[in-house]
Amino acid sequence: MKKIVLSFLIFCSILILSCPRNSFAFWMWTPETNKWVNPKYDVKETPEEQLIFSKQFYDTKDYKKAVTEFEKLIRSYPKSKEAAEAQFYIGLCFEDQGRVYEAYKAYQKVVEKYPFSERSSEVVDRQYKIGERMLEGEGKKGKFVSTIVGGEYEVIDVFRTVIKNAPYGKNAAPAQYKIGLYLKEKKMYQEARDEFEKVVNDYPTSEWVKAATYQIALTDAHRSSEAQYDQKVTQVAVEELKEFTKAYPDAELSQKAQDEIQGLRNKEAENNFLVGRFYEKQKKYESAKIYYEMIIRDFQGSPSAGKAKERLQMMESKKK
């Protein structure tokens, strides 16, 4: 028996010496287990030990090594409570590196794989803040920088996930509102309007209803500029803004709403003036006169009112 064991050891030694050095560089014999092990893939004897070991790399900002060790824990002890904590820390590693969309996906695994984790509430908070960072382009206010996330509308995915994870949580209404803001910035006004309406309908007691109501009117105001002659949308937007100022007379947005109303009224007057000019060029002077007189009567103080008076005077001079 001893000769057989000795022969086997000699064979293994020859095999090791005959192979490229790096082929076995990570393997070692452990007398305790009577096995060849590779420290690169080895894991601690308990999930608690592996978690402590992994956190050391996170604390020293060696994120690559930390992620590797946390993933070992998840593979080796998938049903342990430490597995959920390891998945959460993987998200932290990505977030600390500014890889925010990867962090969002890593956090989502905590919710999906470990629904009873004590980190669930914190995960939703972090996902919401990630959505805000993506919306603001990592601190560049008013700019939506898709390069940091890899896809143009992934910020919407993040906010929708926040709503799905905690539909009655504190972040649901603002997440819904910010989906609307993103689409409005993209000039997708009808889609944005639909999202703002969800804030009003789904979260009627939320403090975000006021802002969403204002944004609904603004999106209609933007939509009104897309049709030069059809002023139905403009009129709807004016009425919505008037209703807003009645409902929230002391709101900070009320003055802005008044300014928007004046701007929309000027736009409506300008479009009516263009209609009048169209009829005038077609030599349909009576129709043109109706529009010019209506502008002078209903849109006093607008730039178009002055222009309408001039056109009426010119039309009268031509009759003489």
Side-chain angles (χ1 to χ4, degrees):
M1 184 67 180
K2 290 182 179 179
K3 288 183 178 181
I4 294 174
V5 172
L6 182 61
S7 299
F8 175 74
L9 292 174
I10 293 173
F11 171 77
C12 290
S13 300
I14 294 172
L15 183 63
I16 292 171
L17 292 172
S18 63
C19 290
R21 181 177 182 132
N22 59 1
S23 298
F24 291 90
F26 295 101
W27 291 90
M28 56 174 22
W29 177 263
T30 57
E32 296 85 356
T33 61
N34 290 320
K35 295 180 181 178
W36 289 92
V37 298
N38 188 332
K40 182 178 180 180
Y41 303 108
D42 194 22
V43 67
K44 302 298 180 184
E45 292 186 1
T46 67
E48 294 87 351
E49 290 178 307
Q50 182 64 28
L51 183 63
I52 293 171
F53 180 70
S54 305
K55 281 183 177 180
Q56 293 175 356
F57 297 104
Y58 173 77
D59 292 338
T60 58
K61 302 186 187 307
D62 187 351
Y63 298 118
K64 184 177 180 180
K65 180 66 174 175
V67 169
T68 298
E69 294 300 326
F70 286 128
E71 287 177 342
K72 282 185 189 178
L73 191 159
I74 294 169
R75 283 195 304 270
S76 300
Y77 306 104
K79 297 186 181 300
S80 68
K81 65 178 182 179
E82 287 79 14
E85 190 72 356
Q87 184 62 54
F88 176 77
Y89 266 88
I90 290 173
L92 288 180
C93 289
F94 289 140
E95 189 174 358
D96 288 357
Q97 295 176 83
R99 297 161 63 181
V100 290
Y101 193 68
E102 290 175 85
Y104 148 73
K105 291 192 290 185
Y107 289 138
Q108 187 58 19
K109 288 182 180 179
V110 177
V111 175
E112 293 173 354
K113 292 185 176 181
Y114 314 100
F116 300 108
S117 169
E118 295 178 354
R119 295 286 193 177
S120 295
S121 177
E122 185 177 353
V123 161
V124 176
D125 287 341
R126 287 187 171 275
Q127 287 180 323
Y128 175 74
K129 289 175 182 175
I130 283 172
E132 286 190 313
R133 288 172 67 181
M134 291 167 66
L135 191 65
E136 295 170 3
E138 290 286 6
K140 297 179 182 178
K141 189 175 181 180
K143 296 182 180 179
F144 302 96
V145 183
S146 61
T147 54
I148 65 166
V149 296
E152 192 173 8
Y153 298 111
E154 286 176 348
V155 62
I156 294 179
D157 293 339
V158 174
F159 283 130
R160 289 208 191 286
T161 299
V162 169
I163 297 168
K164 182 185 73 172
N165 288 342
Y168 302 105
K170 64 180 181 180
N171 296 313
Q176 182 62 61
Y177 176 81
K178 288 175 183 180
I179 292 173
L181 277 188
Y182 181 81
L183 292 172
K184 181 185 167 205
E185 184 71 15
K186 291 291 181 182
K187 303 187 187 305
M188 299 172 66
Y189 298 122
Q190 182 57 58
E191 293 82 354
R193 191 187 198 285
D194 293 341
E195 298 300 333
F196 289 130
E197 283 192 329
K198 288 180 183 177
V199 178
V200 177
N201 296 331
D202 296 348
Y203 310 99
T205 61
S206 168
E207 61 181 343
W208 291 89
V209 167
K210 177 169 61 179
T213 303
Y214 177 69
Q215 291 295 341
I216 287 170
L218 283 190
T219 55
D220 281 337
H222 286 298
R223 286 169 61 214
S224 72
S225 64
E226 296 173 356
Q228 193 173 58
Y229 297 118
D230 186 359
Q231 287 300 289
K232 291 180 181 178
V233 179
T234 301
Q235 291 162 4
V236 168
V238 169
E239 289 305 313
E240 287 170 339
L241 287 165
K242 285 181 178 178
E243 288 297 321
F244 177 83
T245 57
K246 288 180 184 177
Y248 306 102
D250 300 325
E252 183 181 341
L253 293 175
S254 289
Q255 185 55 53
K256 291 183 179 180
Q258 293 287 359
D259 295 340
E260 286 289 339
I261 290 171
Q262 187 58 54
L264 288 171
R265 294 279 293 164
N266 290 342
K267 184 189 296 182
E268 188 176 356
E270 176 64 20
N271 277 277
N272 283 316
F273 179 78
L274 291 174
V275 175
R277 285 290 290 148
F278 171 79
Y279 283 125
E280 186 182 349
K281 290 175 182 178
Q282 299 296 316
K283 297 184 179 181
K284 296 180 179 180
Y285 299 116
E286 287 303 315
S287 295
K289 182 180 178 182
I290 291 172
Y291 274 88
Y292 292 148
E293 289 178 343
M294 180 265 289
I295 294 168
I296 295 168
R297 181 183 67 250
D298 296 342
F299 298 92
Q300 296 179 24
S302 70
S304 297
K307 293 192 294 182
K309 287 179 182 178
E310 291 177 4
R311 296 312 307 171
L312 279 175
Q313 291 171 357
M314 290 186 69
M315 286 168 58
E316 287 296 323
S317 67
K318 286 179 182 180
K319 290 181 180 179
K320 295 177 181 179

